[in-house]
Amino acid sequence: MADSQTLHGDGISAVIVGQGAELVSLRDERGFEFLWQAGPEWRRHSPVLFPIVGRLKGDQLRHRGQTYPMTQHGFARDKPFAWAQRSSRSCTLVLTDDADTRARYPFAFRLDVTYTLDSRQLGVAFEISNTGDEPLPASIGAHPAFNWPLLPDLAKADYKLAFAEDEPAPVRRLKDGLLLAAPQPTPIEGRTLALSERLFDDDAVILDRPASASVRYAADHGPAIEMSWQGMEELGIWSKPGGAPFLCIEPWHGMASPADFDGEFVDKPGLMLIEPGAKRSLSYWIGLEQGSR
């Protein structure tokens, strides 16, 4: 694959491409593929969401009285990253501001994305640096899509998400990509979210302050995935309505604009504000469990 890096670890391999710094394959030692392979239902695998997560109202970013076009989930997923480091077990890709980004996002920044393989686990680290002279307002999110079901002879409804902690808090939902004002009753019972296609009829399920920092995606048998995160404050769970065969488990820092928010971007709820010369580091991990097949 052109402009890509294949990583090999103990019981795990991963392929990352320069375009969007995107993870495009995640396999165990038997060659079993866990990651969605970008079929016609959704042409992505695991995009990096930056400098926003979700949508802005009218797809416009407002800053100091000016408006800038900013489409859903930002531009990083569609930009070529530079390779800063490549080895058999890790790689780092970098995106910095340029004329194209400043036309949409009038801030100076550096985004480093580092992938590292450990024993049956992939770590993904984001480092956002403010290289400008004013506070940097930013969000970042992961968007990995996993095959659902993981085993083709199982039904989607055989799978569930098991959280590390009880999750009794209401969840947030979207309308036209924007955050509804009223929280909704959680579909999670205790620590368990039963998965079904109907769950996503109204777009993503968003935990805006999850009690857990990890979740396990599994059926009663077969391969499973354990995801954990640090520095992320929200978790999105999504599949494309209509029966798409993938499930996205998405640790975020930031989320879509509230439907009634018309203010300056720096005042948008949920943003990081990074001071000049400062950095923010956030990360998540995907652990693979082989299970019986």
Side-chain angles (χ1 to χ4, degrees):
M1 188 182 295
D3 192 33
S4 67
Q5 179 73 16
T6 300
L7 308 180
H8 294 282
D10 298 328
I12 187 171
S13 66
V15 180
I16 296 95
V17 296
Q19 184 70 16
E22 187 172 8
L23 174 70
V24 299
S25 178
L26 188 62
R27 297 174 180 258
D28 66 16
E29 67 267 32
R30 297 192 223 177
F32 182 83
E33 180 64 73
F34 287 77
L35 203 67
W36 166 246
Q37 289 301 292
E41 298 90 344
W42 192 56
R43 292 293 188 182
R44 300 182 189 269
H45 306 260
S46 181
V48 174
L49 315 183
F50 177 86
I52 64 169
V53 172
R55 282 191 62 197
L56 303 180
K57 191 171 184 179
D59 294 326
Q60 290 188 326
L61 183 154
R62 303 180 188 278
H63 183 61
R64 295 186 173 175
Q66 295 191 46
T67 59
Y68 301 83
M70 177 66 73
T71 52
Q72 184 179 35
H73 293 325
F75 48 70
R77 61 185 183 170
D78 296 317
K79 295 283 286 182
F81 280 61
W83 297 92
Q85 173 267 326
R86 305 167 81 153
S87 70
S88 62
R89 282 182 174 259
S90 70
C91 61
T92 300
L93 303 95
V94 178
L95 180 67
T96 55
D97 61 284
D98 58 19
D100 174 64
T101 70
R102 287 190 293 271
R104 295 181 268 176
Y105 180 65
F107 303 97
F109 68 88
R110 174 185 168 114
L111 171 61
D112 290 61
V113 182
T114 299
Y115 292 90
T116 305
L117 287 188
D118 203 341
S119 179
R120 302 193 65 78
Q121 179 172 268
L122 172 67
V124 186
F126 300 125
E127 184 178 81
I128 306 165
S129 304
N130 184 350
T131 58
D133 55 9
E134 63 177 311
L136 176 66
S139 288
I140 195 159
H143 202 316
F146 304 107
N147 290 318
W148 180 34
L150 287 169
L151 283 183
D153 59 340
L154 292 180
K156 285 184 173 183
D158 292 333
Y159 286 81
K160 63 185 179 181
L161 294 182
F163 291 87
E165 308 290 342
D166 287 346
E167 296 288 353
V171 298
R172 308 301 296 270
R173 301 301 294 251
L174 304 168
K175 183 173 177 57
D176 300 325
L178 300 176
L179 198 67
L180 290 170
Q184 307 292 313
T186 182
I188 302 168
E189 296 185 1
R191 299 184 180 188
T192 302
L193 176 61
L195 293 173
S196 72
E197 290 180 354
R198 300 306 303 273
L199 188 63
F200 306 106
D201 285 353
D202 296 320
D203 210 319
V205 176
I206 300 169
L207 284 68
D208 59 347
R209 286 295 179 267
S212 305
S214 67
V215 66
R216 186 170 182 265
Y217 165 49
D220 289 339
H221 70 276
I225 291 168
E226 177 93 18
M227 279 194 67
S228 56
W229 52 90
Q230 185 172 26
M232 306 293 201
E233 296 196 348
E234 294 87 15
L235 183 72
I237 305 160
W238 177 72
S239 185
K240 190 170 183 178
F246 63 82
L247 179 76
C248 295
I249 306 171
E250 310 175 38
W252 300 336
H253 194 303
M255 53 186 173
S257 288
D260 59 354
F261 179 75
D262 284 311
E264 290 272 299
F265 184 62
V266 295
D267 297 322
K268 177 182 177 291
L271 286 175
M272 292 175 274
L273 286 174
I274 305 170
E275 292 301 314
K279 300 178 180 180
R280 286 289 294 272
S281 297
L282 313 91
S283 52
Y284 73 98
W285 297 265
I286 305 172
L288 305 185
E289 300 176 22
Q290 200 169 67
S292 59
R293 302 210 181 106

